[in-house]
DNA sequence: TGTGACACTTAGAATCTGGATT
DNA sequence: AATCCAGATTCTAAGTGTCACA
């Protein structure tokens, strides 16, 4: 695939070099498309989303019991019952809200009137056999033969080939989520008021298709039709539907390694880099604003101070009772902070304790400057714990102000900026020139970890953590014994070499020396691994790596210190960051 | 000035996979 | 060949931020 100019150059080249033997490589670049404002593509063709298989009724041998008596459920009630039965091992099914929501939807949405009048209490329901059937199915799948597993894999691959790609401006692109979400029970995070509600099966009649006017229109499953066919090239989605639990819109979109997502990613980091050039002015500004006569300006300044210093999220307001009770900066309430004039040797300490995105707890004790502290005291005067801390501020006002300071600047840019600049600083601080690759990786992970801590990216400690830690320790111990052994063998060999003096034992000494060295290297590597693992127990590095750290920092660092890039980024991460890998040399500065 | 629809990024959990270990 | 486990991938919920409209 060549554009015109490239083709013409190639013809000239061949013409003038006909008497030469030449090898040449043609680099084919994506032809620069000129888009009007807001236009995301010129041509888009795809096969539509993949629909999950229809529900298969359970065999007659599997019973559901109500009040101890077997009850044959109608297909729709049975399908929903199975959703619950499959989750029986999960903590969700013990939660009051989950059970209530489930029972309500099960009865109202899926049961016949007769079933509804019979089945009224969840604790009289016995899903035991359905649960056992599900477990047996999982087990059977695990025990499939190699051939059967291969057959399943091939079938899945066929689905990916058919539905997993689209054609966007003459290039085949991978779609990120090409499957319609299957029905099931809604699993919110934290204390979600809607947990357990039925997520309905999506039909083609619910789905809007977006593609080019002149393209091959995706064919809906037999006997069905789409809700709507649309040709909107100002958006990037290929299909969408409205989900019934929260009423939000779900989209089918491209994979992160696509041009569309890559360019957006690049733009994001460029905005963050631009903030670097004016962050000092902005900090000076909000420091001044802390003394403003306007209450709303002072609140804005304090919020900005938190967002900048602590990398808090903006904190849009949310509809009460529709989602779990979580907050960000602008939506903080009085109950979420405690002020300490003195704490652990520091003055003016703010103690934060609140649930953020995904109901992850943010707990931090932070010394702040006096002006901020005094303002906070003022903001909290005569307020109840449940009142808004920043009652004169919302994210729209904050972002409007930020955009006036720098085009494209919003609250979230501070998170990106602070994350990336932290990585760069930490790498500079932690990397030692002479270190080997394993030590380099540990340094990188530590720098990455500093960012993850800043952004409060947590994870539940893996269930197998203690065990695998012990395993690793055991390995280290064995290796230590080996090392002792190898050392004593080396000593022995040296002794022999001295007493005999001929060349053979000398060779032996060299060999033993190498063995000791190997052992030491291996031991060091494992010990570093153990340190890394321990420090990582409750911290998730992935999120910051994928979303907050300018990949060019990592690429430059790898080049500078001779660390293979694949030690830092796996295959799909390298795909996602291909744009950065292409353009970055070791001198890059964020 | 507030509000809801919309489109997009960010997020941790669940599940899968393939290579190391037994 | 079987098993185990860590890392990779998938899944989809939960945020952010803009815009049109009243």
């Amino acid at each position: 695939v060549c554009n015109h100019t490239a083709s013409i150059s190639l013809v000239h080249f061949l013409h003038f070099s006909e008497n030469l033997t030449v090898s040449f490589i043609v680099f084919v670049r994506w032809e620069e498309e000129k888009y009007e404002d807001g236009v995301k593509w010129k041509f888009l063709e795809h096969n539509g989303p993949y629909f999950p298989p229809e529900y298969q009724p359970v065999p007659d041998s599997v019973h559901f019991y109500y009040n101890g008596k077997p009850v044959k459920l109608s297909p729709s009630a049975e399908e929903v019952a199975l959703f619950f039965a499959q989750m029986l091992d999960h903590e969700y099914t013990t939660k009051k809200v989950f059970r209530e929501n489930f029972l309500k939807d099960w009865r109202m949405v899926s049961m016949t009137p007769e079933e509804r009048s019979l089945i009224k209490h969840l604790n009289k329901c016995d899903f035991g056999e359905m649960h056992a059937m599900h477990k047996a199915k999982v087990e059977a799948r695990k025990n499939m033969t190699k051939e059967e597993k291969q057959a399943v894999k091939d079938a899945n691959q066929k689905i990916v080939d058919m539905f997993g790609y689209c054609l966007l401006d003459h290039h085949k692109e991978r779609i990120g989520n090409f499957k319609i979400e299957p029905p099931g029970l809604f699993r919110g995070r934290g204390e979600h008021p809607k947990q357990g509600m039925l997520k309905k099966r999506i039909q083609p009649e619910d789905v809007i298709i977006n593609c080019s006017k002149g393209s091959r229109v995706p064919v809906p499953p037999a006997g069905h039709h789409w809700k709507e066919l649309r040709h909107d090239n100002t958006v990037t989605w290929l299909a969408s539907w409205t989900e019934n639990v929260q009423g939000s819109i779900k989209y089918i979109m491209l994979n992160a390694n696509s041009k569309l997502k890559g360019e957006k990613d690049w733009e994001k980091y460029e905005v963050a880099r631009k903030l670097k050039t004016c962050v000092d002015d902005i900090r000076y500004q909000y420091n001044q604003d802390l003394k403003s006569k306007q209450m709303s300006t002072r609140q804005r300044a304090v919020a900005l101070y938190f967002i900048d210093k602590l990398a808090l999220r903006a904190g849009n307001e949310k509809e009460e009772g529709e989602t779990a009770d979580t907050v960000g900066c602008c939506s903080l309430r009085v109950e979420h902070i405690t002020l300490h004039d003195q704490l652990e040797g520091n003055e003016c300490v703010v103690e934060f304790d609140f649930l953020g995105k995904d109901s992850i707890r943010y707990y931090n004790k932070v010394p702040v400057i006096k002006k901020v502290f005094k303002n906070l005291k003022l903001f909290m005067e005569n307020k109840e714990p449940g009142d808004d801390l920043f009652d004169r501020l919302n994210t729209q006002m904050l972002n409007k102000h930020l955009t006036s300071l720098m085009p494209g600047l919003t609250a979230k840019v501070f998170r990106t900026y602070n994350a990336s600049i932290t990585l760069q600083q930490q790498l500079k601080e932690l990397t030692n020139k002479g270190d080997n690759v394993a030590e380099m990786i540990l340094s990188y992970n530590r720098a990455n970890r500093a960012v993850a801590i800043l952004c409060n990216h947590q994870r539940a400690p893996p269930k197998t953590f203690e065990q695998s830690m012990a395993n690793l320790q055991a390995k280290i111990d064995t290796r230590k014994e080996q090392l002792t052994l190898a050392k004593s063998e080396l000593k022995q060999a040296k002794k022999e070499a001295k007493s005999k003096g001929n060349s053979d034992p000398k060779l032996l000494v060299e060999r033993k020396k190498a063995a000791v060295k190997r052992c030491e290297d291996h031991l060091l590597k494992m010990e570093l691994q153990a340190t890394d693992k321990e420090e990582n127990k409750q911290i998730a590095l992935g999120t910051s790596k994928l979303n907050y750290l300018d990949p060019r920092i990592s690429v430059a660092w790898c080049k500078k210190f001779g660390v293979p890039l694949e030690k830092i980024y796996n295959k799909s991460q390298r795909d996602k960051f291909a744009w950065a890998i292409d353009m970055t040399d070791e001198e890059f500065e964020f």
Side-chain angles (χ1 to χ4, degrees):
Chain A
V1 184
C2 283
N3 65 31
H4 259 303
T5 323
S7 315
I8 291 166
S9 321
L10 195 56
V11 169
H12 281 218
F13 178 67
L14 293 172
H15 176 73
F16 288 118
S17 57
E18 59 188 322
N19 294 324
L20 301 171
T21 307
V22 284
S23 315
F24 58 90
I25 302 165
V26 181
F27 291 97
V28 183
R29 285 201 53 211
W30 191 305
E31 191 179 338
E32 297 292 329
E33 297 271 355
K34 293 282 176 287
Y35 298 118
E36 296 144 51
D37 212 25
V39 171
K40 307 288 170 62
W41 45 263
K42 288 185 175 170
F43 185 81
L44 173 60
E45 184 170 78
H46 58 95
N47 291 335
Y50 170 78
F51 285 83
E54 291 293 324
Y55 169 66
Q56 302 290 321
V58 303
D60 287 338
S61 58
V62 177
H63 298 285
F64 162 75
Y65 299 90
Y66 190 72
N67 244 340
K69 294 191 202 84
V71 177
K72 179 68 193 165
L73 294 170
S74 64
S76 70
E78 188 181 81
E79 178 178 13
V80 176
L82 199 62
F83 293 148
F84 192 84
Q86 287 175 355
M87 287 179 73
L88 232 41
D89 286 336
H90 204 289
E91 200 202 332
Y92 272 122
T93 57
T94 64
K95 290 193 173 177
K96 187 162 173 274
V97 178
F98 190 95
R99 294 173 70 88
E100 280 171 0
N101 284 333
F102 163 71
L103 183 65
K104 192 168 161 218
D105 273 12
W106 188 30
R107 295 182 75 243
M108 292 312 161
V109 178
S110 74
M111 283 186 190
T112 63
E114 296 77 49
E115 287 168 333
R116 199 171 304 136
S117 65
L118 172 69
I119 299 170
K120 288 185 172 159
H121 303 283
L122 194 53
N123 44 21
K124 292 184 181 171
C125 296
D126 177 359
F127 301 96
E129 286 186 19
M130 294 175 119
H131 181 61
M133 181 192 80
H134 172 249
K135 298 270 271 197
K137 267 189 183 164
V138 171
E139 190 62 22
R141 200 157 26 135
K142 229 170 62 187
N143 293 331
M144 281 189 301
T145 63
K146 236 181 181 175
E147 291 73 30
E148 289 169 324
K149 277 184 184 163
Q150 190 58 43
V152 170
K153 213 177 152 187
D154 291 347
N156 282 334
Q157 187 56 47
K158 265 198 175 150
I159 293 170
V160 174
D161 292 344
M162 178 69 183
F163 297 99
Y165 298 86
C166 69
L167 204 58
L168 189 136
D169 290 345
H170 321 300
H171 286 260
K172 194 172 167 180
E173 297 266 37
R174 182 89 203 254
I175 301 169
N177 57 326
F178 59 87
K179 291 174 177 167
I180 296 283
E181 291 174 15
L185 304 183
F186 178 77
R187 299 148 90 119
R189 308 273 171 86
E191 295 302 316
H192 202 295
K194 297 194 170 185
Q195 63 188 102
M197 283 176 66
L198 175 65
K199 217 173 98 163
K200 290 186 191 166
R201 183 180 292 277
I202 303 300
Q203 300 293 345
E205 284 73 11
D206 304 317
V207 175
I208 303 172
I209 298 290
N210 192 31
C211 63
S212 275
K213 234 171 205 166
S215 75
R216 214 168 18 77
V217 175
V219 183
H224 288 279
H225 60 266
W226 304 120
K227 178 180 181 183
E228 187 189 331
L229 181 62
R230 198 180 281 186
H231 308 294
D232 183 354
N233 67 358
T234 66
V235 294
T236 67
W237 52 268
L238 318 189
S240 73
W241 70 91
T242 301
E243 159 265 359
N244 67 294
V245 175
Q246 317 233 46
S248 64
I249 309 170
K250 301 276 189 152
Y251 301 94
I252 302 280
M253 285 184 187
L254 294 183
N255 192 282
N257 66 10
S258 61
K259 179 190 173 226
L260 221 53
K261 297 278 187 192
E263 278 182 355
K264 202 80 188 294
D265 212 27
W266 172 73
E267 274 172 28
K268 174 180 77 183
Y269 290 114
E270 286 305 295
V271 173
R273 287 176 82 196
K274 205 164 137 212
L275 174 56
K276 187 189 172 182
T277 66
C278 58
V279 73
D280 290 337
D281 297 339
I282 290 171
R283 284 174 178 157
Y284 177 79
Q285 174 78 53
Y286 70 62
N287 262 295
Q288 294 296 306
D289 285 348
L290 289 169
K291 297 178 282 192
S292 166
K293 286 200 186 82
Q294 276 281 320
M295 182 66 137
S296 61
T297 305
R298 283 210 309 280
Q299 292 197 353
R300 193 180 69 197
V302 172
L304 206 41
Y305 177 87
F306 286 160
I307 285 170
D308 186 19
K309 188 181 168 81
L310 305 172
L312 299 191
R313 295 188 184 82
N316 285 313
E317 49 271 63
K318 335 197 320 181
E319 232 175 312
E320 211 172 324
E322 295 291 299
T323 60
D325 178 20
T326 62
V327 297
C329 186
C330 292
S331 50
L332 278 170
R333 298 191 297 261
V334 171
E335 60 195 313
H336 295 132
I337 64 169
T338 313
L339 302 181
H340 303 276
D341 294 320
Q342 290 280 337
L343 186 74
E344 294 158 5
N346 289 310
E347 281 184 1
C348 300
V349 175
V350 184
E351 184 182 353
F352 291 85
D353 192 353
F354 62 89
L355 297 181
K357 182 177 178 179
D358 292 308
S359 294
I360 297 290
R361 185 178 180 206
Y362 184 93
Y363 183 78
N364 203 358
K365 290 180 244 180
V366 195
V368 300
I369 56 176
K370 276 221 168 71
K371 273 184 284 181
V372 167
F373 198 77
K374 270 164 106 180
N375 269 315
L376 284 171
K377 272 193 173 166
L378 199 73
F379 301 161
M380 291 165 78
E381 260 173 28
N382 303 319
K383 280 190 193 168
E384 300 291 316
D387 291 344
D388 285 339
L389 178 64
F390 302 116
D391 53 310
R392 308 277 175 88
L393 182 71
N394 60 35
T395 53
Q396 291 98 307
M397 293 159 64
L398 179 65
N399 281 336
K400 209 172 156 196
H401 174 242
L402 288 174
T403 310
S404 78
L405 299 178
M406 183 195 109
L409 185 61
T410 59
K412 83 194 269 278
V413 178
F414 280 88
R415 247 167 104 80
T416 312
Y417 162 72
N418 277 310
S420 284
I421 204 79
T422 301
L423 179 77
Q424 185 164 281
Q425 282 165 355
Q426 286 288 307
L427 283 178
K428 224 173 242 174
E429 224 165 273
L430 296 171
T431 316
N432 307 307
K433 261 267 151 64
D435 283 355
N436 63 34
V437 172
E439 290 164 324
M440 290 277 184
I441 305 283
L442 181 64
S443 299
Y444 182 89
N445 285 346
R446 283 190 162 151
N448 193 166
R449 196 145 46 233
V451 176
I453 289 167
L454 175 72
C455 294
N456 200 39
H457 291 142
Q458 297 188 30
R459 61 169 185 179
K463 287 192 189 85
T464 54
F465 184 84
E466 293 305 329
Q467 186 54 48
S468 68
M469 203 65 206
N471 287 351
L472 190 58
Q473 194 54 51
K475 273 192 205 165
I476 289 175
D477 291 345
T478 350
R479 188 60 72 169
K480 269 185 185 160
E481 281 167 30
Q482 275 181 17
L483 182 63
T484 324
L485 189 68
K487 272 184 177 163
S488 72
E489 279 180 10
L490 173 63
K491 223 179 213 171
Q492 188 63 29
K494 270 183 181 167
K495 215 186 260 173
E496 278 175 30
K498 236 179 215 169
S499 62
K500 288 180 188 163
N502 59 26
S503 63
D504 256 349
K506 255 191 191 161
L507 200 69
L508 191 68
V509 170
E510 289 308 313
R511 217 183 287 160
K512 290 293 173 196
K513 254 189 193 163
V516 169
K517 176 90 171 62
R518 252 205 327 271
C519 241
E520 278 174 340
D521 284 354
H522 212 126
L523 187 62
L524 184 70
K525 198 175 156 193
M526 286 200 304
E527 278 174 338
L528 290 178
Q529 206 186 340
T531 315
D532 206 29
K533 205 179 169 110
E534 184 64 48
E535 291 178 358
N536 243 4
K537 187 175 176 181
Q538 300 198 54
I539 298 171
L541 298 186
T543 302
S544 50
K545 205 185 222 183
L546 234 45
N547 300 306
Y548 288 103
L549 301 176
D550 189 329
R552 291 169 293 185
I553 300 170
S554 302
V555 173
W557 179 82
C558 280
K559 285 192 174 159
K560 192 164 179 183
F561 294 99
V563 178
L565 193 65
E566 56 272 22
K567 300 274 183 195
I568 300 298
Y569 291 139
N570 66 29
K571 179 74 176 75
S572 56
Q573 290 164 343
R574 292 199 299 278
D575 280 350
K576 166 169 176 165
F577 296 134
W579 61 268
I581 298 170
D582 278 353
M583 68 158 69
T584 308
D585 63 37
E586 66 169 78
E587 298 305 325
F588 173 83
E589 259 223 38
F590 177 76

